[in-house]
Amino acid sequence: MDEQTGSTPSTGDPTPGPAPDPASAAELPGGRARPKTGKSEQTRALILETAMRLFQERGYEKTTMRAIATEAGISVGNAYYYFAGKEYLIQGFYDRMTLEHATEAQARLRGHTDFAKRLEIALLSWIDCAAPYHEFAAQFFRTAADPSNSLSPFANESHRARATAVDLFRDVLTGSDLRTKLDRELTELLPDLLWLHLMIVVLYWVFDRTPDTERTRAFVRRSTPMAARVIRLSRYRVFRPIVRDAKGLIQDFILPTMGARAGS
């Protein structure tokens, strides 16, 4: 019997559990219940922590919702109450990783003002935070690569986590030596573009099988000075027409693919 809903979910996996409360669904699409108390938040965190551990030990495909519930010491129905299915744990992971990355990167950024260095720190800190989960990272890519999947980092449902990441890159820029030297319109767009740079790094990281994903780290160290040079050049008047053209291209074709944005 489901402790939260009073219904008995199917024992199959990944059959969805009971339908969530409409108000909860409005906050957390896909049947993921919104915690209402400290205890329910602890339960949700326990499920996610257990799932991440089992994904590491057994792999994503071999880990079932029933196994997660058993390891967490809760009913299967309770697990489904917080996550409509195993795939929604990916969104939970994405939410948590985004917050962990922002916290870690902010700590590492203190005392640095060089833009290229700040960008490198932000990207490398993501690799460090994600390192324990590299073995099942292909599942993240399959989720993100499907444009119709609501769990994609580009989907409307992911806009809160994405906004947190974009805010981090806004801080990377505004806390740097470039903060007063760039075109105002470009400054408004750059945080979104730097997040897209992170998505490229993530894609490279998914397929990187070198020890400690060293090729991805080398890619970051090589690409960040190049990105910084291009951004620095954009402040010169001769490049303003190109900046305007790039701004229009980004606004018309790139940002619309990113779903809801912060404040929307």
Side-chain angles (χ1 to χ4, degrees):
M1 182 71 69
D2 187 338
E3 299 171 15
Q4 301 284 350
T5 65
S7 62
T8 303
S10 169
T11 57
D13 196 22
T15 302
D21 177 82
S24 298
E27 292 291 341
L28 297 171
R32 294 176 292 126
R34 181 179 177 82
K36 298 179 177 62
T37 66
K39 183 177 180 180
S40 61
E41 178 58 48
Q42 290 176 359
T43 301
R44 188 175 187 276
L46 172 63
I47 295 168
L48 186 58
E49 291 288 344
T50 303
M52 293 302 106
R53 176 171 58 81
L54 292 182
F55 289 165
Q56 290 174 269
E57 294 174 357
R58 308 178 185 182
Y60 178 83
E61 297 297 339
K62 294 182 179 179
T63 301
T64 65
M65 286 292 283
R66 178 169 294 281
I68 293 168
T70 299
E71 287 287 323
I74 63 174
S75 70
V76 177
N78 216 14
Y80 275 121
Y81 177 77
Y82 289 98
F83 296 94
K86 186 174 67 171
E87 67 274 17
Y88 284 95
L89 287 158
I90 298 299
Q91 183 67 62
F93 167 80
Y94 179 51
D95 293 343
R96 190 184 71 172
M97 264 290 303
T98 301
L99 290 173
E100 288 182 358
H101 170 224
T103 301
E104 178 66 20
Q106 290 285 3
R108 296 188 191 187
L109 286 170
R110 295 191 188 107
H112 296 279
T113 58
D114 179 73
F115 173 74
K117 184 62 178 177
R118 288 175 67 85
L119 180 57
E120 177 183 305
I121 288 171
L123 297 175
L124 289 178
S125 64
W126 185 93
I127 297 173
D128 289 337
C129 288
Y133 312 104
H134 189 251
E135 288 305 311
F136 62 94
Q139 178 63 33
F140 307 157
F141 172 68
R142 287 198 294 272
T143 298
D146 182 356
S148 65
N149 196 319
S150 64
L151 305 181
S152 165
F154 296 90
N156 288 340
E157 290 81 356
S158 299
H159 80 274
R160 294 190 184 207
R162 186 169 59 247
T164 298
V166 170
D167 282 345
L168 168 63
F169 287 109
R170 182 173 292 108
D171 184 68
V172 166
L173 179 63
T174 59
S176 76
D177 52 357
L178 289 182
R179 63 185 178 278
T180 61
K181 301 177 182 178
L182 298 178
D183 178 274
R184 181 180 62 83
E185 294 177 322
L186 183 60
T187 300
E188 293 174 358
L189 291 173
L190 270 175
D192 287 303
L193 295 183
L194 295 176
W195 178 80
L196 288 172
H197 187 175
L198 172 62
M199 293 299 99
I200 294 172
V201 171
V202 171
L203 177 60
Y204 195 95
W205 175 84
V206 165
F207 293 101
D208 186 358
R209 291 296 179 264
T210 58
D212 197 29
T213 56
E214 184 51 45
R215 283 189 63 83
T216 305
R217 296 174 187 276
F219 173 76
V220 167
R221 295 187 184 102
R222 291 272 296 274
S223 65
T224 48
M226 293 174 59
R229 282 196 293 270
V230 170
I231 293 170
R232 287 180 187 279
L233 286 174
S234 70
R235 62 183 170 152
Y236 294 107
R237 188 175 299 276
V238 68
F239 292 105
R240 290 298 174 85
I242 298 176
V243 171
R244 294 291 185 275
D245 289 343
K247 174 178 177 288
L249 185 68
I250 292 163
Q251 288 182 324
D252 292 342
F253 293 96
I254 297 178
L255 295 185
T257 69
M258 292 169 60
R261 302 176 67 200
S264 61

